[in-house]
Amino acid sequence: MNNHPVSNDRPWEAESQTAFLQKSGHGYRVGIPERKNFFEEFSFVFRETFFHDDPLYHYKDQPRRKQFWLGLQSFFPILGWGRHYNLKKFKGDLLAGLTIASLCIPQDIGYAKLANVPPNNGLYTSFVPPLVYAAMGSSRDIAIGPVAVVSLLLGELLKHEINPKKHPEEYLHLAFTATFFAGITQAALGFLRLGFLVEFLSHAAVVGFMAGAAITIGLQQLKGLLGIKNFTTNTDIVSVMHSVFSNAHHGWNWQTVVIGMSFLVFLLTAKYIAYRNHKFFWLVAVAPLTSVIVGTFCVYITRVDKDGVNIVRHLDKGINPSSVYKIYWSGPYLVKGAKIGILTGIIGLTEAIAIGRTFATLKGYQIDGNKEMMALGVTNIMGSMTSCIVATGSFSRSAVNFMAGCKTAMSNIVMSLVVLLTLLLITPLFKYTPNAVIASIIINAVVGLIDIKAAARIWKVDKLDFLALLGAFFGVIFKSVEVGLLIAVMLSIGKILFQVTRPKTALLGNLPRTNIYRNVEQYPEAVRVPGVLIIRVDSAIYFSNSNYLKERILRWLRDEEDLNKEHGLPRNQHLVLEMSAVTDIDTSGILELEELLKALKKLYVQLELANPGPLIMDKFLAANYVELIGPEHIFLSVDDAVAYCTSKFKATENT
């Protein structure tokens, strides 16, 4: 016999316990959970929402001194891995740091141009931010600095507010303000443990957005690659291509074209060789700096800059000057900088966390998303006060860092020190660097953002995801980066809303010689039970989908009745609702189930519920739905429900 305790505040349990035992073939009945008070329920939801990873687990049963040290390590992971650092690890980090430094220096100059700020600010962003991240970041492989997509987005948003050519100082001040608020946004999301908000951008939308941004960035570089002086300020593909071809006869500089195309072929060839043979990964890092050195030397010797070849010109020597006084702390630009910073900060977070998780998985360790947000936030706050633009994880540099054998975040420190030496000693040598070489380096870098394999996989797996990809992609290349981003967000949220408002339902049948019931579409051999319609709901039931589910269930019943008439089968007298996949239900959902019960009674069909979860049963009891449907119509499994229904058929036949 069943010895389940009977709760005194639920008298229907005692009255119907025998009924439950009679209808259950294995001696169990539907379990009723202990009711939680409001505080317990709120605490559980709050904990699972914000502290699902149990961050205080390692502090349990530890002395206070140890807890204090663990607390410091959680904010500054360098205190943890630094204690066990040795010469062997440093050799790997030194090689990796030198390698990514050779890659970042020419890239930083190009990314500064994308953001419409002086080249020095791009180099500054690879000095201070990597030092801060090395102390606070939990990833061993991320290389920190300016990146193409975020720099382009920052530049596009900033120039809508201030013209960078007419008002360069005010523009730069707004850039630092946006960087500050990007850091505030990132740190706040980490501190408040709101990292799940970043994940509202679906993978498909991000793939499409990145590919579109890569093409947009590449098209923008045609100005430097072809030596065009009168180039459009728009970023959409139509305006850019019109600008390119309208200048074809007189606007192109043939020396610039030769320089740009030659180095672009060299860079792509080096990347191809490294891709085919991973032993030559260093080519990817060395090739850009080699291009800068060779290109600069050639221009200096030939002085083709006098024939119209655009060069970088002057770069100031010295380390980052303070920019605290340049941030807009009041006035209308404060709000504008905050809006731009929030947007660029979220995009930077999305890219950095995706990169960090990718390489952490390859090396078999974990990163804490909330700690990463805190680290990136403080990195950009400090960067905004030291003349930097928004910094985040760079995929190309992180990949080279990984391939070069980095062991810890020390590789970021090595890279930062190399950039420091560059700022102190050799920045004047970049004076004759041709812009065509910088353009070819940027084009070579962004090619990797076009992930054709990922797009093909998305097409195979989910066509709706692929539509989101296309929407974000075409929004970027035909309109602008911010419009493409808006489309990406809207499509990501739209997909969630579509899945919530139109959940899946399935018709179940019995697998022969078993008591298992499965979807008849997936298992064609599954047999429908005469007189019993079995439907599974594969979603929580909320106000947004409850009416649809009710109508869909009634449509299932109508369609099955038509089939029964067509094949001369008996009409359905019972409808079994399999609820194991229903994780939650709200008051609207219960009201619609009440309406469904009334509608079925008018059709002389009895509603049966199979395997409702503990939360569902608790809400059914609170709403008196159990009394309405009758406890004898709630079953532990579909098999129990079908057995009950067939016993009713036999009882009717006998009478």
Side-chain angles (χ1 to χ4, degrees), residues 450-464:
I450 304 173
D451 197 340
I452 296 175
K453 288 185 178 179
R457 184 181 181 186
I458 291 168
W459 167 257
K460 291 179 181 178
V461 174
D462 192 325
K463 302 299 186 291
L464 194 61

Side-chain angles (χ1 to χ4, degrees), residues 103 107 110-111 114 146-152 207 209-222 264 267-268 271 284 288 351 394-397 438-452 473:
L103 177 62
Q107 282 187 349
Y111 295 157
L114 287 177
V147 299
V149 174
V150 175
S151 298
L152 176 67
V207 170
F209 172 74
M210 289 294 186
I215 292 176
T216 300
I217 292 168
L219 292 173
Q220 289 289 298
Q221 301 318 302
L222 293 178
L264 181 59
L267 291 166
L268 292 174
K271 177 175 282 189
V284 176
E351 188 170 356
S394 165
F395 183 79
S396 59
R397 273 175 267 173
I438 300 299
S440 64
I441 290 170
I442 294 176
I443 292 173
N444 177 65
V446 299
V447 165
L449 296 177
I450 304 173
D451 197 340
I452 296 175
F473 176 76

